[in-house]
Amino acid sequence: MKKLIFSIALITIVIFGCKTNTGATNTQKLTLAFEPKNNSGVFGKATFTEKDGKVTLVAKLSGLKPGIHAIHIHEKSDCSAADGSSAGGHWNPTFKKHGKLGEGEAHKGDIGNFTTDESGKGTITFTTDEWCIGCGDANKDIIGKGLIVHQGADDFTTQPTGNSGARVACSAIIK
């Protein structure tokens, strides 16, 4: 009798659990680690979270020089080169001019700048509906790309890179 009651309770939980999740929003999360480039000593983590058709990037870094630094998504998930050049150029599947994503014409990988404190620590949070995680759309899918942190600030006008300087950290965006 106890087994029967337990089985009925378990089936009820599964059924109600499935009904509850039917209308739920699919949320995906991907956490990555940065590796230093150009002997920079920069390290940190990045998390991409997709929810309700938008992707939010939160990147937390340490070991940078105090000031303003650019961060971009690059074409390839290859961080093997000591200078980060193996990640290719900015991710630009729609062949736009360099700029700031969400503010006029821009590459899909043109995220922007963030500021580090006097100890070299900084965080950036960026949300867009221009990306997806593993959706298969070549114009939106960030899987298979690289996330690069630059030595300097992006000026949002110099073509094609924003004049943001050397690559000081890289992370492959892979599942």
Side-chain angles (χ1 to χ4, degrees), residues 30-34 44-48 57-60 71 147 171:
L30 186 60
T31 301
L32 315 165
F34 283 101
K45 291 194 182 247
T47 302
F48 289 95
L57 162 68
V58 177
K60 296 180 180 190
I71 186 168
L147 188 60
S171 182

Side-chain angles (χ1 to χ4, degrees), residues 122-137:
T123 300
I124 182 169
T125 302
F126 182 82
T127 302
T128 183
D129 62 359
E130 296 284 329
W131 304 337
C132 66
I133 300 172
C135 69
D137 181 341

Side-chain angles (χ1 to χ4, degrees), residues 17-155:
C18 290
K19 286 184 179 179
T20 307
N21 289 333
T22 303
T25 303
N26 186 16
T27 301
Q28 294 191 64
K29 191 172 188 176
L30 186 60
T31 301
L32 315 165
F34 283 101
E35 57 184 83
K37 294 295 160 189
N38 284 303
N39 298 313
S40 68
V42 175
F43 59 94
K45 291 194 182 247
T47 302
F48 289 95
T49 306
E50 183 174 4
K51 185 176 180 183
D52 297 330
K54 293 184 179 185
V55 175
T56 298
L57 162 68
V58 177
K60 296 180 180 190
L61 292 122
S62 297
L64 290 155
K65 291 181 180 178
I68 301 172
H69 302 274
I71 186 168
H72 303 112
I73 295 178
H74 284 245
E75 302 170 302
K76 302 173 192 165
S77 61
D78 183 353
C79 295
S80 62
D83 65 356
S85 61
S86 53
H90 293 182
W91 177 42
N92 188 17
T94 54
F95 307 102
K96 304 284 185 179
K97 289 183 179 179
H98 177 71
K100 187 174 183 183
L101 193 59
E103 296 180 16
E105 190 170 359
H107 302 153
K108 292 284 181 147
D110 291 343
I111 298 169
N113 294 321
F114 65 99
T115 302
T116 55
D117 62 20
E118 55 281 342
S119 66
K121 294 180 182 178
T123 300
I124 182 169
T125 302
F126 182 82
T127 302
T128 183
D129 62 359
E130 296 284 329
W131 304 337
C132 66
I133 300 172
C135 69
D137 181 341
N139 290 329
K140 292 183 78 168
D141 198 344
I142 61 171
I143 298 296
K145 310 300 179 259
L147 188 60
I148 296 282
V149 177
H150 292 270
Q151 176 182 339
D154 188 329
D155 66 14

